Amino acid sequence: TAAMGKVDLNWDQDTANKWPESKGKSPMGQLPMIEDGDICVSQSMAVLRYVARKGGMLGESDADFAVNEMIMEEYFEIFNNAVRLAQRKAAWDAFFAEWLPAHLTNFEKHLKDNKFSSKILAGECCVAALCYILTQLQPDCLDAHPKVKAFYAHMCTFDEIKPFVSAESKLVPYFKRNDDKRR
């Protein structure tokens, strides 16, 4: 979202790496957090919305704003379920086989011309990030959802997104399946 919205961020891993020593800096006592001058914001979705607002990526019309909010909340629901299930193989298997397909179908209902609203907004960035995480865990998970798969392929063509999704990306996978041998 920051890259697509042209919001300049200084990624500070030192604060995260000094956790819990740096806990006192966070308004809610946890990460993630963002500092922007005198403003300090924590909580994942608050940070996302703050950055999206700075980058003009929340939608200009009421319709775009509403769709964007709905897509971001659907992303967050899927992500939270993934966090909850992260280290249980049977739960992961059920997540990919039973739970996730219904949510990807919800996304498909709202996709038109590789976007959810009249232009690329924060919700699209959330779904692209989610697709990246999911396909790292199970490469074929989008195959039964061609509109979501095409959307993700389209998002990966943006120069702002490429560094995060390319084979050369230095990002460490956020999740690993408990049967993953890459540990």
Side-chain angles (χ1 to χ4, degrees):
T1 299
M4 290 294 285
K6 311 276 190 262
V7 176
D8 189 31
L9 289 180
N10 177 21
W11 193 258
D12 171 19
Q13 290 193 349
D14 290 337
T15 298
N17 292 334
K18 291 179 183 172
W19 200 260
E21 176 185 321
S22 56
K23 191 173 186 174
K25 289 177 68 175
S26 174
M28 297 295 173
Q30 56 192 10
L31 296 177
M33 71 176 210
I34 187 170
E35 292 179 292
D36 185 22
D38 293 339
I39 299 170
C40 188
V41 180
S42 65
Q43 298 293 349
S44 299
M45 294 304 286
V47 168
L48 170 65
R49 285 182 172 92
Y50 181 81
V51 171
R53 183 175 186 276
K54 287 188 67 88
M57 296 190 65
L58 292 176
E60 294 172 18
S61 71
D62 289 345
D64 280 352
F65 176 80
V67 169
N68 186 60
E69 286 293 311
M70 185 171 55
I71 297 303
M72 287 192 305
E73 288 301 322
E74 183 75 355
Y75 149 80
F76 200 55
E77 182 174 340
I78 296 168
F79 185 84
N80 277 342
N81 271 286
V83 168
R84 192 171 48 80
L85 305 173
Q87 293 302 316
R88 300 190 324 252
K89 182 183 182 326
W92 268 126
D93 293 345
F95 173 84
F96 280 102
E98 300 161 18
W99 193 85
L100 181 63
H103 291 269
L104 294 178
T105 297
N106 288 339
F107 284 145
E108 293 231 322
K109 292 177 192 174
H110 298 282
L111 273 168
K112 183 177 180 187
D113 299 324
N114 285 323
K115 54 188 186 269
F116 294 101
S117 48
S118 66
K119 67 177 195 171
I120 302 294
L121 296 174
E124 281 85 354
C125 296
C126 288
V127 175
L130 180 68
C131 289
Y132 173 76
I133 291 167
L134 295 173
T135 57
Q136 295 301 301
L137 294 166
Q138 185 161 317
D140 66 350
C141 69
L142 302 179
D143 289 355
H145 299 87
K147 287 174 76 174
V148 174
K149 189 173 183 174
F151 160 80
Y152 179 54
H154 173 70
M155 290 296 289
C156 290
T157 67
F158 286 93
D159 289 341
E160 297 86 351
I161 303 287
K162 286 179 184 177
F164 303 103
V165 298
S166 72
E168 295 80 36
S169 173
K170 302 281 190 263
L171 293 177
V172 174
Y174 198 86
F175 299 111
K176 292 182 183 177
R177 291 180 77 142
N178 68 355
D179 57 345
D180 192 335
K181 305 298 184 221
R182 294 178 294 168
R183 290 187 171 186

